[in-house]
């Protein structure tokens, strides 16, 4: 009996000891170095797909992928090197607002931290804005068209001469007649600001940040004077007249304003001391303005464009022999005529420069002495492109990618109809049974 008790106790002790060793072994495993996953986590920035590949300005684009930052500001997205606004971010999806890409296609790039990847290319469809006027049954009304859809800004007799797009804001400038008094105005997103207090009109508008620059004319003390308004404050433009070496304030108009690298360029024309019209220009509001070199005949500056250190002015000057107007482009003060002025009348109304290519829009009455019609045209590096064989005129020009857009009007046999031409193909804007005109164009 004693031996049995001893053996039972020994067995029990052995079992307890084994259990202790097992527990100790378990504790060592739990407290020791954890077992690592043999497959490392992929932290590479990747794009799997885009929600769309044909896009407009302001569209929302979803980018699906992996390893994006969940902090919005830590992700940078560009399309054609133009920064987009990132709306939201998760590790697997970014939502952005499409910027003005500036080209018909663009590569989507994403940068998160030190990594950069591409999401492929998108096709960008630009918005086409044309400003002008559209008649109702009794009068012309200030109107602009966005992608062919008309926006009418006034119920009074009115019209628009210029348009500028700044982000989501649409600025247009022109005139409106109320109680038999026409006044210069501009509209921002449909809200009107009146500039003149006497008979006046606004011809050109450009915006830089919060500053709104408008050029036009106003009758003051019986003279129609060149006027420049900055944020609604008007200034009369005087000119250094080289003929008499005096400052002259005479009949004229400010017809073009362009902003480049924060510099504000303005051009126009004035009646000089000899009674002839001469072109003038100023930069950053410095007045008196300086005369643009001309042939001492009637000369008009109608538009200005700056590219790099070069300044281009489009207008017309009279042929010294025939007295007929010749469409002309000045580059840094050096004139090049686009029409001969021997038997025709030519006028350059707008200019656009892209790289080394200079585009000028205007019109030419090819058979002046026979009383023929004017024809809408543009010139690329001096080479003529005729847009219509009907009575017509070209008023504005813009180049987007390799596409050339020209605003204007064309007569359909009964009415002048607002339109634009894209690479020479006409797009009707106005009502074909009432008069209308497209006077300026912007492509974004």
């Amino acid at each position: 009996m004693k031996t049995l008790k001893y053996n039972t106790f020994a067995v029990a002790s052995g079992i307890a000891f084994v259990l202790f060793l097992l527990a100790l072994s378990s504790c060592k495993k739990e407290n020791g170095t954890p077992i690592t996953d043999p497959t490392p986590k992929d932290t590479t920035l990747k794009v799997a797909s885009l929600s769309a590949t044909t896009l407009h300005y302001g569209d929302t684009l979803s980018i699906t992928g992996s390893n994006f930052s969940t902090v919005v500001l830590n992700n940078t997205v560009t399309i054609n090197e133009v920064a987009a606004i990132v709306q939201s971010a998760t590790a697997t999806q970014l939502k952005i607002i499409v910027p003005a890409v500036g080209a018909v296609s663009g590569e989507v790039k994403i940068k998160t931290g030190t990594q950069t990847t591409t999401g492929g290319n998108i096709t960008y469809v630009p918005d086409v804005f044309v400003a002008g006027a559209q008649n109702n049954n009794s009068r012309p009304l200030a109107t602009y068209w966005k992608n062919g859809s008309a926006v009418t800004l006034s119920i009074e007799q009115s019209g628009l001469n210029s348009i500028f797009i700044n982000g989501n804001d649409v600025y247009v400038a022109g005139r409106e007649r109320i109680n038999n008094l026409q006044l210069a105005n501009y509209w921002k997103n449909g809200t009107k600001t009146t500039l003149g207090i006497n008979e006046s009109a606004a011809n050109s508008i450009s915006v830089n940040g919060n500053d709104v620059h408008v050029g036009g004319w106003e009758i003051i003390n019986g003279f129609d004077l060149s006027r420049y308004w900055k944020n609604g404050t008007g200034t009369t433009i005087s000119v250094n007249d080289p003929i008499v070496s005096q400052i002259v304030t005479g009949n004229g108009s400010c017809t073009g304003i362009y902003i480049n690298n924060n510099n504000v360029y303005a051009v126009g024309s004035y009646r000089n001391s000899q009674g002839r019209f001469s072109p003038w220009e100023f930069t950053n509001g410095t007045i008196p303005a300086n005369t643009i070199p001309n042939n001492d005949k009637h000369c008009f500056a109608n538009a200005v464009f700056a590219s790099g250190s070069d300044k281009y002015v489009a207008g017309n000057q009279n042929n010294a022999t025939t007295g007929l107007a010749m469409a002309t482009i000045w580059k840094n003060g050096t004139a090049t005529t686009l029409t001969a002025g021997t038997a025709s009348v030519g006028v350059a109304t707008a200019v656009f420069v892209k790289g080394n290519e200079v585009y000028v829009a205007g019109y030419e009455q090819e058979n002046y002495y026979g009383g023929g019609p004017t024809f809408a045209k543009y010139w690329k590096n001096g080479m003529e492109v005729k847009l219509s064989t009907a009575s017509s005129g070209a008023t504005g020009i813009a180049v987007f990618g390799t596409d050339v857009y020209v605003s204007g009007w064309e007569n359909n046999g009964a009415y002048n109809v607002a339109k634009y031409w894209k690479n020479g193909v006409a797009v009707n804007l106005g009502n074909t049974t009432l008069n209308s005109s497209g006077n300026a164009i912007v492509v974004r």
Side-chain angles (χ1 to χ4, degrees):
M1 294 296 292
K2 288 182 181 181
T3 301
L4 181 60
K5 288 181 180 180
Y6 173 79
N7 291 340
T8 302
F9 175 78
V11 171
S13 298
I15 293 174
F17 182 73
V18 171
L19 293 174
F20 171 77
L21 291 176
L22 291 174
L24 182 61
S25 174
S26 176
C27 288
K28 285 182 179 180
K29 288 182 180 180
E30 290 177 2
N31 295 330
T33 303
I35 298 174
T36 58
D37 187 341
T39 305
K41 182 180 179 181
D42 186 359
T43 59
T44 305
L45 184 66
K46 294 180 180 179
V47 172
S49 64
L50 303 176
S51 61
T53 55
T54 299
L55 297 161
H56 297 77
Y57 172 86
D59 285 350
T60 299
L61 173 65
S62 296
I63 304 170
T64 302
S66 55
N67 297 311
F68 303 132
S69 173
T70 58
V71 179
V72 167
L73 294 178
N74 290 345
N75 302 285
T76 301
V77 180
T78 61
I79 304 178
N80 191 38
E81 305 299 334
V82 179
I85 296 173
V86 181
Q87 270 190 320
S88 63
T90 69
T92 58
Q93 187 179 77
L94 301 176
K95 288 189 176 182
I96 69 163
I97 302 299
V98 176
V101 170
V104 294
S105 65
E107 186 178 41
V108 181
K109 291 183 180 179
I110 302 93
K111 181 179 180 182
T112 299
T114 60
Q115 297 190 74
T116 301
T117 190
T118 179
N121 291 328
I122 62 100
T123 299
Y124 182 82
V125 181
D127 294 320
V128 181
F129 297 83
V130 176
Q134 168 73 66
N135 281 31
N136 62 9
N137 290 323
S138 61
R139 61 176 72 92
L141 305 179
T143 303
Y144 74 86
W145 292 266
K146 177 183 178 182
N147 299 329
S149 297
V151 178
T152 301
L153 299 177
S154 174
I155 60 172
E156 306 293 341
Q157 180 178 326
S158 54
L160 303 176
N161 298 318
S162 182
I163 185 167
F164 189 93
I165 309 300
N166 187 28
N168 292 316
D169 297 322
V170 179
Y171 294 82
V172 289
R175 74 274 179 193
E176 183 182 51
R177 183 174 295 278
I178 300 176
N179 297 326
N180 207 33
L181 178 63
Q182 176 183 283
L183 297 178
N185 299 279
Y186 79 84
W187 289 260
K188 176 185 177 181
N189 300 328
T191 300
K192 182 178 71 176
T193 297
T194 299
L195 300 170
I197 59 175
N198 307 294
E199 190 84 8
S200 53
N203 296 323
S204 185
I205 188 168
S206 193
V207 180
N208 188 31
N210 294 321
D211 293 329
V212 181
H213 305 264
V214 181
W217 59 267
E218 185 172 8
I219 295 179
I220 300 175
N221 297 325
F223 294 94
D224 49 330
L225 303 179
S226 302
R227 295 282 279 171
Y228 163 61
W229 293 272
K230 179 180 178 181
N231 299 328
T233 299
T235 301
T236 297
I237 300 168
S238 56
V239 182
N240 281 314
D241 190 335
I243 299 173
V244 294
S245 299
Q246 292 181 358
I247 296 172
V248 174
T249 301
N251 297 61
S253 181
C254 178
T255 48
I257 290 182
Y258 187 80
I259 297 176
N260 183 48
N261 292 330
N262 293 319
N263 291 313
V264 182
Y265 302 94
V267 298
S269 306
Y270 78 107
R271 189 180 291 276
N272 64 26
S273 58
Q274 305 302 301
R276 292 185 291 272
F277 280 96
S278 290
W280 58 259
E281 52 92 12
F282 73 67
T283 302
N284 296 328
T286 301
I287 297 172
N290 293 314
T291 302
I292 297 171
N294 61 86
N295 65 358
D296 200 30
K297 302 300 178 182
H298 280 307
C299 295
F300 296 86
N302 298 324
V304 61
F305 194 100
S307 177
S309 59
D310 296 322
K311 181 168 53 180
Y312 301 81
V313 179
N316 54 278
Q317 57 182 324
N318 283 13
N319 182 297
T321 302
T322 64
L324 300 182
M326 304 177 292
T328 303
I329 180 74
W330 286 266
K331 178 182 178 182
N332 301 326
T334 299
T336 299
T337 56
L338 302 172
T339 59
T342 53
S344 70
V345 169
V347 174
T349 57
V351 55
F352 193 99
V353 180
K354 185 173 182 180
N356 295 320
E357 296 176 337
V358 181
Y359 300 82
V360 180
Y363 55 87
E364 185 178 17
Q365 185 181 13
E366 295 177 348
N367 183 11
Y368 172 77
Y369 295 112
T374 63
F375 299 109
K377 297 183 177 185
Y378 77 87
W379 294 263
K380 177 182 177 181
N381 297 331
M383 299 299 294
E384 173 193 301
V385 177
K386 191 171 182 178
L387 296 170
S388 173
T389 56
S391 177
S392 53
T395 57
I397 191 163
V399 180
F400 194 91
T402 58
D403 297 324
V404 181
Y405 296 80
V406 182
S407 62
W409 57 271
E410 184 179 52
N411 190 275
N412 64 6
Y415 301 96
N416 292 337
V417 179
K419 60 179 52 189
Y420 71 87
W421 291 264
K422 177 183 177 182
N423 300 326
V425 178
V427 177
N428 282 342
L429 298 172
N431 188 324
T432 57
T433 60
L434 292 168
N435 283 322
S436 58
S437 178
N439 299 330
I441 190 167
V442 172
V443 181
R444 176 194 64 189

